[in-house]
Amino acid sequence: MKLDRLGDFQRTHRNGDLRLDHAGQTVRLLGWCRRVRNLGSLIFLDLRDRWGLVQLVANEETADPDLLAKLKAVRSEFVLAAEGVVAERESKNPNMATGDIEIRLTGLRILNTAAPLPFPLEDEGVGEDLRLTYRFLDLRRDKLQRNLLLRSEVTNLTRNHFRELDFIEIETPILTKSTPEGARDYLVPSRMHPGEFFALPQSPQLFKQLLQVSGFERYIQICRCFRDEDLRADRQPEFTQIDVEMSFVRQEDVQGVIEPLMVKLAKIVGKEVTAPFPRLPYRNAMEWYGSDKPDLRCGLKIQDVTGLFAASGFNLFRAAADSQGQRRVRALFFPGEAAGLLSRKQLDGYQEQAKQMGAGGLPYAKWGKDGLSSSFKKFLDEGAEAALKDLFRANAEGASAGGEGLAVFAVGTDAQTSKVLGDLRTKIATDLAATEKDPTLSTLFHHKHAYAFLWITDFPLLEWSEEHQRFVACHHPFTSPHPDDMDLLETDPGACRAVAYDLVLNGYEVGGGSIRIHDADTQSRLFRTIGIGEAEARTKFGFLLDALAFGAPPHGGLALGLDRLVMLLAGVDNIREVIAFPKTAQARCLMTDAPGPVDERQLRELHLLQDTKQTYRVGAVFFESAEGGSPELRGQALQQIGQMTPRQAQGLVTLDAQGQILDTQTLSGPTFEF
RNA sequence: GGGGUUGUAGCUCAGUCGGUUAGAGUGCCAGCCUGUCACGCUGGAAGUCGCGGGUUCGAGCCCCGUCAGCCCCGCCA
């Protein structure tokens, strides 16, 4: 098809802005054809641009024949420039912003055609692999357009927020140094320095601290970070962080600039949240909610019921009671009729969930219409049964139910029971909220539309790593120990708290930060505690230690996960829905098919090619030797090199498996030939 | 690294106990149609049942392997 040129065509209006007020005006519009409806001698066409949709119309009796012919050739997603007169519709469409009017076409340019799309833009249920393969089409869909628009509003609002507070935005390097602690790095081979690598930043952590030493007291950056770890619904290998660092601050000061930002961001999507947010020490979060990122839309707390089974016939539980606190029996009590009525099948489902979390099973007790039933009833003597019923009644207090409910139990170490019950707490509560008739109970289970922000504070500074057989930093090794726990650094490192805090929203960690160590002594003590010696610390973090020695101010900050935050604001449950070009769970881009192989020339330049083709670095100084490859290949290389002058041999020689020279590259001196 | 789940027409899916020529809706193509807006009506084309192997007289269906998407555990300072 012959295409028309855009030429001097000037758009006069955005499609979604046209109203009855514009009637009689001649307008020029641009966009994509969403759909044509050809009624014979009357043709309708919906024209879409970023801002909306408007109906174009042409009538066989009145329209120019050339224009009609052109219009009949138009298919979905053709790119059009249209000229026409705004007119009131004969039959209006109340479901459309522009439903009162239509454009009577006087001119039409077909700027481009479009093949039939591989999937419809209107349907929700299209396979995600297909959507990701044709992401540029997927992004035409309303929902993704809205999500990316929201994302843009969030970053704008964030920048304005920090600018009003006198923050300065500074960019930090993307090509940086690999850090041994923490996540796996994405590495970038260095061409200039054979065998050496840059790392993409997991976060600009050290740079922003150094900027504090430089005197940029309030820093912000919206920056890309990279972590080469396995993905999840809320985790991508490449993600965006709102990175904040401040000098002369305490924890509350950092929280004090973040909270009003969250209030503003929530307002964009019509949610009212009030600051300050609750502060919950890590220890309590784990005890009550079994999680360091609890979803406080559900208020239920985990309870310790170890004592209840101290004299019980149920060995599993009694053994825990006898373990002097090593192991405990912990439980969740869900009050209400719906909880007491949960079917065996549903309970089996929860048991599967518990097993996936590492539990052996899921002991439960249910008090329904037909009395108390339990997976371990046969082990319960009268006293224990009565005690259990008392607990049910105590947990039903304030609710309309008379003791009905469900209790699920976990036994084991605190870490084990927290994991199981922390997971089931929100799962079961969410399910019950959907079925429970008593409205007071469903708000106890799950305020579906609420935004529950909170801070988790007083994280442990260190944890024992079985893998490394030493203590490692929970947050990062620059986190300040709690001033009250400073002495524990040498005596009981595992008990030492950190001045670290996470911002949690609805069960997601949306941010985390800390007050940093700002004196070289404390930093050295910490490195010593986690088994990083003086020399190693110098090599890896020498620049930081230097900086701390030259007047580093007390400082601290925080980083927010922008993608996750926007995901929650957009009300979607997958981070890919708020990223224009995301990776799959296997860390691939289905659209570009990255990562992909590169040609051998590139590998050789980067000194990465091995096996059949081996790059030897030779030079006059070590004329007699070559490194790498098999002994035979080395021998052949030396033989060939031996026929050269030392000057000629100075360079890189690439050989194939037969020892033939494939490629040479001089490191210095003149180019030589073979 | 491990567990679960899905894969059939361009798309979304159905496909009985293993049994004849694998279906529907939608999209696409053609024709008709003056008030549609998920236009309607008529007709047509469209399949490597993810891929490979096996069992069987016979496999979309059963078995083994493999690839890909999704979810979870480990991992994510």
Side-chain angles (χ1 to χ4, degrees), chain A residues 352-533:
Chain A
E352 278 312 306
Q353 215 95 52
K355 282 181 176 170
Q356 204 179 32
M357 295 293 148
L362 186 66
Y364 67 87
K366 206 169 64 168
W367 194 351
K369 284 208 170 65
D370 34 356
L372 190 73
S373 63
S374 168
S375 58
F376 52 91
K377 192 167 189 180
K378 60 183 170 184
F379 298 117
L380 286 175
D381 56 35
E382 275 178 34
E385 192 170 318
L388 190 56
K389 282 184 175 170
D390 283 345
L391 259 176
F392 268 113
R393 278 189 213 100
N395 281 283
E397 202 179 350
S400 58
E404 292 109 323
L406 168 77
V408 294
F409 299 83
V411 55
T413 64
D414 288 358
Q416 291 168 332
T417 52
S418 286
K419 191 163 176 47
V420 173
L421 295 179
D423 183 62
L424 287 177
R425 193 182 76 91
T426 47
K427 281 215 169 67
I428 299 179
T430 308
D431 293 348
L432 288 174
T435 47
E436 178 58 55
K437 293 185 200 82
D438 184 341
T440 62
L441 286 178
S442 25
T443 57
L444 174 65
F445 293 149
H446 205 179
H447 302 250
K448 199 175 172 188
H449 299 293
Y451 273 13
F453 279 104
L454 79 152
W455 294 98
I456 303 294
T457 61
D458 297 327
F459 276 85
L461 182 71
L462 305 164
E463 64 187 344
W464 181 256
S465 164
E466 284 300 324
E467 189 195 335
H468 298 100
Q469 286 297 304
R470 62 172 173 88
F471 281 99
V472 296
C474 290
H475 188 52
H476 55 60
F478 320 109
T479 304
S480 175
H482 196 288
D484 299 345
D485 295 353
M486 207 59 97
D487 296 339
L488 296 173
L489 220 44
E490 283 82 19
T491 55
D492 187 2
C496 186
R497 286 169 300 167
V499 191
Y501 33 89
D502 278 1
L503 180 63
V504 173
L505 169 57
N506 293 357
Y508 288 89
E509 180 197 331
V510 293
S514 64
I515 300 301
R516 330 295 184 189
I517 296 169
H518 73 279
D519 67 289
D521 280 352
T522 308
Q523 188 67 66
S524 296
R525 275 175 74 189
L526 192 114
F527 280 151
R528 220 176 298 132
T529 307
I530 61 175
I532 296 182

Side-chain angles (χ1 to χ4, degrees), chain A residues 17 51 129 141 176 180 198 203 218 243 322 352 465 512 537 541 571 577 598 600 606 647:
Chain A
D17 293 345
W51 297 277
D129 43 351
R141 293 164 57 232
T176 171
F198 291 105
S203 109
R218 297 181 154 218
D243 200 43
D322 293 342
E352 278 312 306
S465 164
F541 305 112
E577 298 296 306
V598 295
E600 293 183 1
L606 295 170
R647 187 68 180 261

Side-chain angles (χ1 to χ4, degrees), chain A residues 20-39:
Chain A
L20 213 42
D21 302 344
H22 298 91
Q25 291 184 27
T26 295
V27 295
R28 281 185 287 278
L29 306 171
L30 290 163
W32 287 260
C33 168
R34 193 181 74 157
R35 178 175 273 114
V36 193
R37 291 178 295 277
N38 185 341
L39 273 60

Side-chain angles (χ1 to χ4, degrees), chain A residues 118-138:
Chain A
F119 57 88
L121 298 186
E122 296 82 13
D123 286 12
E124 268 307 311
V126 178
E128 202 176 356
D129 43 351
L130 195 72
R131 289 176 46 202
L132 289 174
T133 306
Y134 297 95
R135 188 61 161 182
F136 47 88
L137 296 178
D138 195 29

